Every structure is written in structure tokens, then in C-alpha cells.
Amino acid sequence: MGLISKLLGNNEHKSTRSLKPLDPSGGISYDPELVDALKHDHQELVRIYSAIKAAASESRYGDIHGLLADFKITFQTHVAVENVRFYAYMQQHDALDIDTSNFIAQVRKEMNNIARAVMKFVDTYMSALPVPVTVTGFISELDQIGSVLVQRVQLEEGRLYSLYRP
């Protein structure tokens, strides 16, 4: 699915969904399906991550480039949707107390740092695929990325997304 489709509110499990209008104040409107779509992205990222790890572990180096490309676009799209539709909505939400607003700003900043690290990893290995002598380092870095992403998904699904309300 394309980045534009995601940003406009379409997703794989409901591709006919229309663009949500701006709320009357001119900001981002609440989307009752957004959290489910973001959680779906998490599941897809885990699926692709697992396929990358399996390909590396099984010495299927030729499969890794395509899987990394799938992971990259899925990850970039997820981060873009979170930034444009989730965080922007949350930042315009006047009902949030200062502690919650600060928490959301910190989580957003951390996600941007994580995204840069993930993109550096993906770009590095898309341009120089692992081979038998480098696969151990690749798997080690992949495990580190996976650990950070698991912690991030747990934070988002366990705490952050529960703050998203009309």
C-alpha cells in the first residue's frame, strides 16, 4: 500500500475508507479506526522482521533485499501516519494536561531517533547485503533493532494509544 493511501486514511483491512475531513477548528479530526490501523502495521512489521531473520538464519541472502525494502516502506509509512494523524491530533488536543503533553512529545522525539537508526540499518544492508562472513553482524544488529521495536510497540499499544480519544 502506498504512503499517500495510508496518509489519506486507507488501510489494507478497509481499503474503501474515505478521507476523514478536518475538524471544525481546521485541525486533524479524530479517526476511530486509526489505532487499529497502527496496530495492524505493528503486526505487519513483526511479520516482515521475522521473515528477514529467517532468511538470514537460513542463508537465503538473496531474499533479504526485497524483505528489507518491504520493511522500509512499511516502517516509513507507519511513522508518517503516526506523525501526521496521531501525534498531530494529540498535540492539538486541548484537554491534555501538561504531564501527558510532555510524555507525548518525548515519545514522539524518541520515535524519530529510533526511525533514523532503523533507516540507517536498512539502508546499510540494502546497499551491501549480508554474506556468510558478515551475516553474524547483520543478525546481531537485526536483534538489537528488533529489541528496540518490541519495546516501542509495547509502549505504544500499552500506554500511548490509550490516550487517543475524541
Side-chain angles (χ1 to χ4, degrees):
M1 168 166 292
L3 174 62
I4 301 302
S5 295
K6 277 271 200 178
L7 291 174
L8 295 178
N10 294 328
N11 58 47
E12 289 180 7
H13 59 276
K14 193 168 184 181
S15 61
T16 59
R17 199 165 128 210
S18 64
L19 176 63
K20 298 284 184 188
L22 294 177
D23 72 13
S25 70
I28 303 296
S29 65
Y30 176 79
D31 179 355
E33 298 174 7
L34 179 60
V35 169
D36 286 340
L38 293 172
K39 288 179 178 180
H40 180 266
D41 290 349
H42 291 163
Q43 293 170 354
E44 183 63 8
L45 287 165
V46 167
R47 184 194 67 73
I48 299 167
Y49 172 89
S50 298
I52 294 167
K53 182 140 185 187
S57 297
E58 296 166 6
S59 302
R60 292 183 287 114
Y61 308 121
D63 295 347
I64 293 174
H65 188 275
L67 291 166
L68 285 172
D70 290 347
F71 187 85
K72 180 177 182 175
I73 191 67
T74 303
F75 184 77
Q76 287 177 318
T77 302
H78 176 78
V79 170
V81 169
E82 259 185 357
N83 274 320
V84 172
R85 299 195 44 223
F86 179 83
Y87 288 117
Y89 174 82
M90 294 303 291
Q91 286 182 319
Q92 76 187 16
H93 205 272
D94 294 332
L96 296 178
D97 61 69
I98 192 71
D99 290 335
T100 303
S101 292
N102 288 339
F103 167 71
I104 291 169
Q106 181 61 36
V107 170
R108 185 178 197 177
K109 182 179 176 183
E110 288 172 0
M111 188 64 234
N112 290 332
N113 291 334
I114 291 168
R116 279 191 290 280
V118 168
M119 288 301 99
K120 182 179 177 185
F121 167 82
V122 169
D123 289 342
T124 296
Y125 284 105
M126 283 183 73
S127 63
L129 289 175
V131 293
V133 297
T134 62
V135 73
T136 302
F138 172 81
I139 291 173
S140 176
E141 288 183 55
L142 183 64
D143 286 343
Q144 290 173 6
I145 295 286
S147 177
V148 169
L149 292 177
V150 164
Q151 290 174 8
R152 184 56 189 215
V153 166
Q154 290 172 343
L155 171 68
E156 288 180 355
E157 292 187 7
R159 184 167 176 209
L160 184 65
Y161 292 165
S162 68
L163 300 172
Y164 186 74
R165 298 183 192 123

